[in-house]
Amino acid sequence: MRAIAYMGPDDIRTIAADTPSCGPGQLKIRVHYAGICGTDMAIAAGKHPRAKAPLIMGHEFAGEVVEINPGDAPPPDVAIGDRVTIYPLLSCGQCHACRTGHPHVCRDLRLIGIDRDGGFAEYVCVPAEMVVKLPADMAFDTGALIEPLAVGMHAVAMADEGATRNAIVLGAGPIGLMVALALRSSGVADIVLTDINASRLERAGDMGFTVLDSNTCDVSAAILDRTAGEGADVLYECAGSESAAGQMCELVRGRGKIVMVGVHKAPHAVDLRTLNFREITMVGARVYTRADYQRAVDAAQQIPAENIISHRLDLDNAVQGFDLMKHPDGACKVLFQL
Ligand SMILES: [Zn+2]
Ligand SMILES: [Zn+2]
């Protein structure tokens, strides 16, 4: 079979690999679409702490079940030909987080496509319990967006605010847009996205969101103006930048919330004094739970998640796909068609 593999730092190739065989308790999936994630970019650059070459990347994908090897386990709730995606997390089951019902923040969290071969391949075999069934009429490209949409669903769940009237999302890349879509599907009408990239702002605007160009606009003044001088109920930090970290507290109202979604690769200064004075709650958000996944599957049909897809590339265009992601002008979610 053909696959896209990380062969070493800055060495991504389309390779011929052995088609995996389906061990006991596993399913074989014929992958149709797989998305490139920021994590895949870190792997490709040789900067991911765990990924080891050679590795078939890809943890955001959808396809159809072509083989089931139930082994000793009860047969899974899927049949040959069903459309599926996967919940890619592998948790240890032993640590405090796992024992207390939060395996998505396992001390030793691992993922399909990072710690073992993933979905940038025509076929992948995964443990049956990782498979998530999709509606029979869901397009495979939409199915490949369930994972990033679940990130958005999880971020919204972490705010735990029944009464969110308005929200601001810093960063209008794929994750910022998924958070905005998740907010919209949860009934929040007033959603503002900020970015410095014109093409990202244009896409967010086309999707019906209010956008602010943080290059040219005083974001703080604009948010205070929209919220009668209070600040936003909830802020979702999806930019991962130093400037976003420095500004976020002043954009949130007293007793408001900040949900950290974007991963900051370095310690950045935060206005902790404002955090004190406004009694702002800041909370981290990592990946997603099974419940977030199900919410993403349910919502994906209603919201135009596929609007975030900017490119659908053939498997042979592996390098081009990663280059597009490095220069986000015009690129948002890049999918490989397998
Ligand atoms: Zn991802
Ligand atoms: Zn664990």
Side-chain angles (χ1 to χ4, degrees):
M1 67 168 185
R2 293 186 308 150
I4 295 172
Y6 164 63
M7 305 299 287
D10 294 314
D11 186 4
I12 298 298
R13 281 185 242 166
T14 304
I15 60 165
D18 292 338
T19 301
S21 56
C22 197
Q26 292 193 332
L27 300 181
K28 186 184 282 187
I29 299 169
R30 171 70 179 91
V31 180
H32 286 261
Y33 277 99
I36 307 180
C37 175
T39 309
D40 300 319
M41 300 296 295
I43 295 171
K47 289 185 179 145
H48 195 281
R50 302 194 312 272
K52 300 260 183 303
L55 171 75
I56 298 172
M57 293 172 287
H59 57 272
E60 310 177 359
F61 59 88
E64 63 189 298
V65 177
V66 292
E67 192 182 333
I68 299 173
N69 181 351
D72 298 332
D77 182 30
V78 285
I80 303 286
D82 278 354
R83 293 178 180 226
V84 293
T85 184
I86 65 150
Y87 183 76
L89 307 189
L90 302 157
S91 305
C92 78
Q94 312 290 322
C95 72
H96 182 269
C98 284
R99 283 186 280 111
T100 54
H102 308 286
H104 67 291
V105 284
C106 173
R107 212 169 63 189
D108 191 28
L109 189 69
R110 282 159 202 278
L111 274 86
I112 297 273
I114 297 175
D115 299 280
R116 63 167 85 163
D117 285 346
F120 285 174
E122 290 173 296
Y123 295 94
V124 63
C125 291
V126 298
E129 65 270 16
M130 299 180 102
V131 169
V132 176
K133 194 168 165 177
L134 300 173
D137 60 347
M138 184 180 282
F140 287 116
D141 53 2
T142 304
L145 301 176
I146 295 300
E147 193 265 6
L149 181 55
V151 172
M153 291 290 172
H154 186 64
V156 172
M158 288 305 287
D160 190 29
E161 284 279 303
T164 303
R165 292 151 304 165
N166 59 72
I168 178 167
V169 180
L170 303 185
I175 289 300
L177 289 172
M178 284 308 197
V179 169
L181 286 169
L183 280 164
R184 183 186 274 166
S185 84
S186 77
V188 179
D190 187 354
I191 304 163
V192 176
L193 283 115
T194 71
D195 207 288
I196 53 170
N197 181 290
S199 70
R200 287 182 163 184
L201 290 167
E202 190 184 329
R203 182 180 297 275
D206 288 346
M207 291 168 73
F209 297 112
T210 303
V211 295
L212 296 174
D213 183 340
S214 29
N215 271 331
T216 56
C217 153
D218 182 342
V219 172
S220 185
I223 293 298
L224 291 177
D225 195 50
R226 293 176 63 87
T227 55
E230 297 285 355
D233 291 334
V234 185
L235 178 145
Y236 296 87
E237 206 309 89
C238 304
S241 67
E242 183 172 15
S243 61
Q247 188 176 36
M248 58 192 184
C249 286
E250 74 188 49
L251 302 175
V252 178
R253 66 163 163 77
R255 306 278 295 170
K257 277 208 169 159
I258 294 172
V259 182
M260 299 301 297
V261 191
V263 178
H264 286 248
K265 307 256 161 34
H268 290 144
V270 174
D271 178 2
L272 294 172
R273 177 172 180 262
T274 299
L275 185 113
N276 284 126
F277 285 7
R278 294 192 188 170
E279 287 200 345
I280 292 167
T281 304
M282 195 192 307
V283 62
R286 186 178 189 190
V287 290
Y288 27 67
T289 65
R290 289 262 178 184
D292 300 317
Y293 242 68
Q294 198 51 55
R295 275 198 290 277
V297 171
D298 296 341
Q301 301 283 64
Q302 272 77 54
I303 54 179
E306 57 274 16
N307 288 352
I308 81 154
I309 301 171
S310 59
H311 296 80
R312 294 171 178 82
L313 302 177
D314 186 83
L315 198 53
D316 291 322
N317 296 323
V319 173
Q320 187 200 347
F322 278 80
D323 280 349
L324 281 165
M325 295 284 289
K326 268 185 230 160
H327 310 287
D329 253 329
C332 190
K333 183 53 83 178
V334 178
L335 300 184
F336 290 116
Q337 185 171 9
L338 296 118

